[in-house]
Amino acid sequence: MFKITVTPRFGDIDGLRHVNNTVLAVWFEKGRNPIFRMFTPDLDLSYEKWKLILVRTEFDFLAQMYYGSDVEIRSYITHIGNSSFTIGHEAWQDGELKARGKAVLVHYDFIEQRKKPIPPEIRKQLEEHLVEED
């Protein structure tokens, strides 16, 4: 499991002092960076080097998040297929689960415009972060 801490910025907040629901996608993406590095260690976004494409995201908003308290983002692997894998995400604030989500990514060759099997050495790294879902 990977964990990062984000501090809600003034611009992340709506008129009711809630964290705006659009911010969660950015925070969850930031939580995926260690997983991105398994495929492209230097995070080079060139067609020749970048190896992932996002094909699905979903979010469940469980409770309100507020300005003035840090949020811990937890990211982990929930499923590994032949060329795709699913990342689970959680947002915790003040010791309470506030939101959760999923992202499905595909190992992809942008030059050939097709999916590729996940290499065995990367699959092993992903398996180290595999968590069974409830």
Side-chain angles (χ1 to χ4, degrees):
M1 180 177 299
F2 299 97
K3 296 179 182 180
I4 63 165
T5 300
V6 292
T7 300
R9 302 169 306 155
F10 180 81
D12 295 336
I13 308 305
D14 64 22
L16 298 173
R17 294 187 35 213
H18 301 127
V19 171
N20 189 292
N21 61 0
T22 62
V23 174
L24 201 58
V26 174
W27 291 353
F28 283 178
E29 180 184 30
K30 186 175 182 180
R32 291 194 288 273
N33 275 344
I35 298 163
F36 293 159
R37 286 185 187 281
M38 292 177 189
F39 290 84
T40 309
D42 63 359
L43 299 181
D44 183 335
L45 295 178
S46 66
Y47 287 122
E48 295 81 13
K49 291 189 176 183
W50 192 255
K51 302 296 182 202
L52 295 171
I53 191 165
L54 180 69
V55 297
R56 178 181 171 83
T57 59
E58 62 182 68
F59 305 92
D60 295 320
F61 299 96
L62 307 173
Q64 300 168 73
M65 289 183 281
Y66 296 96
Y67 183 72
S69 184
D70 285 349
V71 177
E72 181 180 76
I73 303 299
R74 301 177 187 178
S75 302
Y76 46 87
I77 306 301
T78 62
H79 173 77
I80 305 169
N82 183 48
S83 61
S84 67
F85 61 98
T86 303
I87 301 171
H89 294 290
E90 298 175 354
W92 291 77
Q93 189 177 48
D94 299 325
E96 184 181 343
L97 179 61
K98 302 288 186 163
R100 66 177 161 233
K102 294 180 185 178
V104 178
L105 290 104
V106 173
H107 185 228
Y108 193 78
D109 185 314
F110 284 89
I111 301 297
E112 296 180 17
Q113 293 289 298
R114 66 183 188 93
K115 64 183 180 178
K116 297 264 187 157
I118 297 170
E121 64 277 7
I122 295 176
R123 176 178 297 279
K124 185 175 180 179
Q125 291 178 61
L126 292 171
E127 288 171 350
E128 292 174 12
H129 302 281
L130 189 61
V131 173
E132 286 195 33
E133 293 185 286
D134 294 335

